[in-house]
Amino acid sequence: MMEEEKLKIGVVSCSGEDCAGGTISRLATRKMMDELRPDNTVTICLPLFLAGGQEERMFAKECPTIAVDGCDKACAKRATEKYSGKVSSGILVSDLIGSAAAEKPALSTRDITTEHQVMVDQVAAEITRQFDEIMAKNCQEQSKSSSTCSCRGNCDC
């Protein structure tokens, strides 16, 4: 018998190198994938997505996505919505850590301070909160239409 697939949620992170918010968004997304929700999180490569990557575009069209943007240009959200449809949720890093911090010059991962790590943790916590909301909503919808939910035990259904 074929095992049902777990629901995956895509996180489309900023790929900008113009300001610290881009680095913070990428590190928070990585933390989400590696530590916080590793079994249900997929990241979508924004440059490949923009270059026409059909697999990335199809995933974003069929699965819930969270856009994490480093600045108010919101490239991750705008690109996802242009090529794959409305995102399930969006995060603007500057709304969480403040515009002054997000708009500081580009940040190398070699120069990450304790202050930056706190910002990464703050953004990762918000991604996780929105991830859990999407997962819960999806499970409720699945429960209405069948006797099992799609998260296969990763929720309170």
Short mmCIF file of all heavy atoms in Angstrom, two decimals, residues 4-32:
data_model
loop_
_atom_site.label_atom_id
_atom_site.label_comp_id
_atom_site.label_asym_id
_atom_site.label_seq_id
_atom_site.Cartn_x
_atom_site.Cartn_y
_atom_site.Cartn_z
N GLU A 4 0.52 7.68 2.21
CA GLU A 4 0.07 9.02 1.85
C GLU A 4 1.21 10.01 2.06
O GLU A 4 2.00 9.87 2.97
CB GLU A 4 -1.11 9.43 2.72
CG GLU A 4 -2.39 8.77 2.36
CD GLU A 4 -3.53 9.31 3.21
OE1 GLU A 4 -3.60 10.53 3.39
OE2 GLU A 4 -4.30 8.50 3.69
N GLU A 5 1.27 11.02 1.20
CA GLU A 5 2.29 12.04 1.35
C GLU A 5 1.88 13.04 2.42
O GLU A 5 0.71 13.37 2.55
CB GLU A 5 2.49 12.78 0.04
CG GLU A 5 3.25 11.98 -0.98
CD GLU A 5 3.61 12.84 -2.18
OE1 GLU A 5 3.97 14.00 -2.00
OE2 GLU A 5 3.53 12.31 -3.28
N LYS A 6 2.89 13.51 3.17
CA LYS A 6 2.63 14.57 4.14
C LYS A 6 2.45 15.88 3.39
O LYS A 6 3.07 16.09 2.34
CB LYS A 6 3.83 14.73 5.08
CG LYS A 6 3.98 13.66 6.09
CD LYS A 6 5.14 14.01 6.99
CE LYS A 6 5.27 13.00 8.09
NZ LYS A 6 6.39 13.32 9.00
N LEU A 7 1.64 16.74 3.97
CA LEU A 7 1.49 18.07 3.40
C LEU A 7 2.82 18.80 3.52
O LEU A 7 3.45 18.80 4.58
CB LEU A 7 0.41 18.85 4.14
CG LEU A 7 0.27 20.32 3.74
CD1 LEU A 7 -0.22 20.44 2.30
CD2 LEU A 7 -0.66 21.04 4.68
N LYS A 8 3.27 19.39 2.45
CA LYS A 8 4.48 20.22 2.45
C LYS A 8 4.07 21.67 2.24
O LYS A 8 3.16 21.96 1.47
CB LYS A 8 5.41 19.80 1.31
CG LYS A 8 5.87 18.37 1.37
CD LYS A 8 7.00 18.21 2.33
CE LYS A 8 7.54 16.79 2.24
NZ LYS A 8 8.59 16.54 3.18
N ILE A 9 4.75 22.54 2.94
CA ILE A 9 4.53 23.97 2.79
C ILE A 9 5.82 24.58 2.26
O ILE A 9 6.89 24.36 2.83
CB ILE A 9 4.10 24.62 4.11
CG1 ILE A 9 2.74 24.05 4.55
CG2 ILE A 9 4.04 26.15 3.97
CD1 ILE A 9 2.24 24.56 5.88
N GLY A 10 5.72 25.33 1.18
CA GLY A 10 6.89 25.95 0.58
C GLY A 10 7.17 27.31 1.21
O GLY A 10 6.26 28.08 1.47
N VAL A 11 8.44 27.57 1.44
CA VAL A 11 8.86 28.88 1.92
C VAL A 11 9.73 29.50 0.84
O VAL A 11 10.74 28.94 0.44
CB VAL A 11 9.64 28.77 3.26
CG1 VAL A 11 10.06 30.16 3.73
CG2 VAL A 11 8.80 28.07 4.32
N VAL A 12 9.27 30.64 0.34
CA VAL A 12 9.98 31.36 -0.71
C VAL A 12 10.66 32.55 -0.05
O VAL A 12 10.01 33.50 0.38
CB VAL A 12 9.02 31.87 -1.81
CG1 VAL A 12 9.81 32.47 -2.96
CG2 VAL A 12 8.11 30.75 -2.29
N SER A 13 11.96 32.46 0.05
CA SER A 13 12.71 33.50 0.77
C SER A 13 13.33 34.49 -0.19
O SER A 13 13.71 34.15 -1.32
CB SER A 13 13.82 32.82 1.58
OG SER A 13 14.53 33.78 2.33
N CYS A 14 13.47 35.69 0.29
CA CYS A 14 14.17 36.76 -0.42
C CYS A 14 15.55 36.26 -0.84
O CYS A 14 16.20 35.53 -0.10
CB CYS A 14 14.31 37.96 0.53
SG CYS A 14 15.40 39.27 -0.03
N SER A 15 15.99 36.65 -2.00
CA SER A 15 17.35 36.31 -2.42
C SER A 15 18.19 37.57 -2.61
O SER A 15 19.27 37.52 -3.17
CB SER A 15 17.33 35.48 -3.71
OG SER A 15 16.77 36.23 -4.75
N GLY A 16 17.67 38.67 -2.12
CA GLY A 16 18.35 39.94 -2.27
C GLY A 16 19.63 40.04 -1.47
O GLY A 16 19.75 39.48 -0.39
N GLU A 17 20.57 40.76 -2.03
CA GLU A 17 21.86 40.98 -1.39
C GLU A 17 22.12 42.46 -1.14
O GLU A 17 23.25 42.86 -0.92
CB GLU A 17 22.98 40.41 -2.29
CG GLU A 17 22.97 38.92 -2.39
CD GLU A 17 23.40 38.23 -1.10
OE1 GLU A 17 24.07 38.87 -0.27
OE2 GLU A 17 23.05 37.06 -0.92
N ASP A 18 21.04 43.25 -1.18
CA ASP A 18 21.20 44.68 -1.05
C ASP A 18 21.10 45.17 0.39
O ASP A 18 21.60 46.22 0.73
CB ASP A 18 20.14 45.39 -1.91
CG ASP A 18 20.38 46.87 -2.00
OD1 ASP A 18 21.56 47.26 -2.15
OD2 ASP A 18 19.41 47.63 -1.93
N CYS A 19 20.46 44.38 1.24
CA CYS A 19 20.26 44.83 2.61
C CYS A 19 20.29 43.64 3.58
O CYS A 19 20.15 42.48 3.16
CB CYS A 19 18.94 45.58 2.74
SG CYS A 19 17.49 44.57 2.37
N ALA A 20 20.45 43.94 4.84
CA ALA A 20 20.54 42.90 5.87
C ALA A 20 19.26 42.06 5.95
O ALA A 20 19.31 40.88 6.29
CB ALA A 20 20.82 43.54 7.22
N GLY A 21 18.13 42.66 5.61
CA GLY A 21 16.86 41.92 5.67
C GLY A 21 16.86 40.68 4.80
O GLY A 21 16.25 39.67 5.14
N GLY A 22 17.56 40.72 3.67
CA GLY A 22 17.65 39.55 2.79
C GLY A 22 18.38 38.41 3.47
O GLY A 22 17.94 37.26 3.45
N THR A 23 19.49 38.72 4.10
CA THR A 23 20.26 37.68 4.80
C THR A 23 19.45 37.13 5.96
O THR A 23 19.41 35.91 6.16
CB THR A 23 21.60 38.26 5.31
OG1 THR A 23 22.31 38.83 4.22
CG2 THR A 23 22.44 37.18 5.96
N ILE A 24 18.81 38.00 6.71
CA ILE A 24 17.99 37.56 7.85
C ILE A 24 16.88 36.62 7.36
O ILE A 24 16.62 35.58 7.95
CB ILE A 24 17.39 38.77 8.60
CG1 ILE A 24 18.48 39.69 9.14
CG2 ILE A 24 16.42 38.31 9.69
CD1 ILE A 24 19.32 39.17 10.24
N SER A 25 16.24 36.98 6.24
CA SER A 25 15.15 36.13 5.73
C SER A 25 15.66 34.75 5.32
O SER A 25 15.02 33.74 5.60
CB SER A 25 14.42 36.81 4.58
OG SER A 25 15.23 36.90 3.44
N ARG A 26 16.81 34.71 4.66
CA ARG A 26 17.36 33.40 4.23
C ARG A 26 17.78 32.55 5.42
O ARG A 26 17.52 31.34 5.45
CB ARG A 26 18.53 33.61 3.27
CG ARG A 26 18.09 34.06 1.89
CD ARG A 26 19.22 34.07 0.90
NE ARG A 26 20.28 35.00 1.27
CZ ARG A 26 20.22 36.32 1.11
NH1 ARG A 26 19.14 36.88 0.60
NH2 ARG A 26 21.23 37.09 1.46
N LEU A 27 18.42 33.15 6.41
CA LEU A 27 18.85 32.37 7.58
C LEU A 27 17.65 31.87 8.38
O LEU A 27 17.66 30.74 8.89
CB LEU A 27 19.78 33.22 8.46
CG LEU A 27 21.14 33.54 7.84
CD1 LEU A 27 21.90 34.51 8.73
CD2 LEU A 27 21.95 32.27 7.62
N ALA A 28 16.61 32.68 8.47
CA ALA A 28 15.39 32.25 9.18
C ALA A 28 14.71 31.10 8.44
O ALA A 28 14.23 30.14 9.06
CB ALA A 28 14.44 33.43 9.34
N THR A 29 14.68 31.18 7.12
CA THR A 29 14.10 30.10 6.32
C THR A 29 14.90 28.82 6.50
O THR A 29 14.34 27.73 6.64
CB THR A 29 14.05 30.51 4.84
OG1 THR A 29 13.21 31.66 4.72
CG2 THR A 29 13.51 29.39 3.96
N ARG A 30 16.21 28.94 6.51
CA ARG A 30 17.08 27.76 6.70
C ARG A 30 16.83 27.13 8.07
O ARG A 30 16.77 25.91 8.20
CB ARG A 30 18.54 28.20 6.57
CG ARG A 30 19.50 27.09 6.47
CD ARG A 30 19.51 26.56 5.06
NE ARG A 30 19.27 25.15 5.16
CZ ARG A 30 19.07 24.36 4.11
NH1 ARG A 30 19.06 24.86 2.91
NH2 ARG A 30 18.87 23.11 4.26
N LYS A 31 16.67 27.97 9.08
CA LYS A 31 16.40 27.46 10.43
C LYS A 31 15.07 26.71 10.45
O LYS A 31 14.95 25.65 11.08
CB LYS A 31 16.38 28.61 11.44
CG LYS A 31 16.14 28.15 12.86
CD LYS A 31 16.30 29.25 13.86
CE LYS A 31 16.11 28.65 15.26
NZ LYS A 31 16.66 29.49 16.29
N MET A 32 14.11 27.25 9.76
CA MET A 32 12.80 26.60 9.65
C MET A 32 12.95 25.21 9.05
O MET A 32 12.41 24.24 9.57
CB MET A 32 11.91 27.49 8.79
CG MET A 32 10.55 27.01 8.55
SD MET A 32 9.59 27.23 10.02
CE MET A 32 8.09 26.48 9.46
#
